[in-house]
Amino acid sequence: MTSVRATLSRVLGLVPARGGSKGIPRKNIRPLGGRPLLAYTATAALAAGRLTRVVLSTEDPEVAEIGGLCGLEVPFLRPVELARDETPSLAVVQHALRWLEGRGECYDAVCLLEPTSPLRSAADIDACIGLLEQSGADAVVTVRRVPDELNPHWTFLADAEGFLRLSTGEGTPVPRRQDLPPAYHRDGSVYVTRRDVALERNSMYGDRLVGYVVEDRPWVNIDTPADWARAEELILACAQR
């Protein structure tokens, strides 16, 4: 990988937390293990050494108030039109960067930290920023290894006629497990993107994406009531250690 490795001296930590949620009402401020869900992300972000500032982006005054109590800065309320179910994360990131730049506050990169991944650590955040800096990539995301049985070389998609085709486009599957190349999925914990990639190239990923592999601890990305129940179990287990 060849690229200019510019120092990331100013990185914005951005926590997006809208008030609405279909699957779990008021999810971002609902108590999880006795604390608002939002508080877990706030704690990790504020403990990270590489974040210059940590800002909450929300359209909801109650979420803003609770975020402030968790230590997050709330310099603006996000426009309601950027807080819909279909609003992409990129639009939220661009709004925050442009709002801050309009007031003379510029950043080299933005670190998106969604409250639905409460088990990330401050070390993960700092490591992702460091990897972005060292690699010269456009963006870094946390990833986890895909189980071999779900590897793209062993998974199939149905074509228009209903026949199965390997998702890789190859004619036959890789015959041995030992020959499978490692595959990864995003775990949703940390996204770090260079400012110019987000604002000028309209992307959270750019053309050169690097994964920071997280394997050694529990993980949950809360989207459904079942995810919430699992998160409660994991939080309780962590508290008992």
Side-chain angles (χ1 to χ4, degrees):
M1 185 179 298
T2 57
S3 180
V4 176
R5 300 181 181 180
T7 300
L8 301 175
S9 59
R10 291 180 57 80
V11 180
L12 174 67
L14 184 65
V15 180
R18 65 193 183 97
S21 174
K22 286 185 176 179
I24 304 174
R26 307 296 283 171
K27 173 172 59 180
N28 287 312
I29 56 175
R30 177 176 170 175
L32 175 71
R35 305 169 65 198
L37 176 62
L38 183 60
Y40 294 91
T41 294
T43 297
L46 294 170
R50 294 296 306 266
L51 295 178
T52 307
R53 186 181 187 187
V54 184
V55 166
L56 173 68
S57 173
T58 185
E59 89 295 357
D60 188 286
E62 184 183 11
V63 175
E65 180 181 3
I66 292 175
L69 293 174
C70 292
L72 300 174
E73 297 186 55
V74 193
F76 56 79
L77 285 181
R78 191 197 314 175
V80 174
E81 59 269 22
L82 291 180
R84 301 189 174 114
D85 289 337
E86 66 275 12
T87 301
S89 296
L90 176 61
V92 177
V93 167
Q94 290 175 332
H95 169 264
L97 287 172
R98 286 171 177 152
W99 192 94
L100 292 167
E101 287 191 5
R103 287 148 184 83
E105 194 171 328
C106 298
Y107 293 89
D108 303 310
V110 58
C111 179
L112 185 69
L113 301 167
E114 297 179 337
T116 46
S117 294
L119 300 180
R120 77 173 64 74
S121 69
D124 290 337
I125 297 170
D126 286 339
C128 286
I129 296 169
L131 182 56
L132 180 63
E133 188 174 66
Q134 295 159 15
S135 67
D138 294 328
V140 168
V141 298
T142 44
V143 297
R144 290 176 183 257
R145 180 81 178 262
V146 173
D148 288 340
E149 61 270 23
L150 300 180
N151 190 290
H153 292 273
W154 280 5
T155 57
F156 296 83
L157 301 173
D159 64 16
E161 298 178 327
F163 296 109
L164 294 180
R165 309 292 183 190
L166 276 170
S167 60
T168 59
E170 298 170 323
T172 58
V174 172
R176 300 193 314 152
R177 184 182 301 270
Q178 296 91 325
D179 296 330
L180 285 171
Y184 303 93
H185 70 89
R186 298 173 304 169
D187 79 352
S189 296
V190 183
Y191 302 78
V192 190
T193 306
R194 294 183 186 274
R195 177 262 180 207
D196 293 349
V197 173
L199 286 184
E200 298 175 11
R201 292 160 57 186
N202 290 311
S203 175
M204 287 296 295
Y205 306 103
D207 300 318
R208 295 170 303 176
L209 178 67
V210 172
Y212 175 75
V213 182
V214 182
E215 297 282 10
D216 60 349
R217 58 186 167 277
W219 161 75
V220 64
N221 193 338
I222 301 173
D223 186 49
T224 67
D227 296 332
W228 188 277
R230 180 166 179 266
E232 290 275 12
E233 293 175 359
L234 292 171
I235 293 294
L236 178 60
C238 291
Q240 292 176 341
R241 289 177 184 172

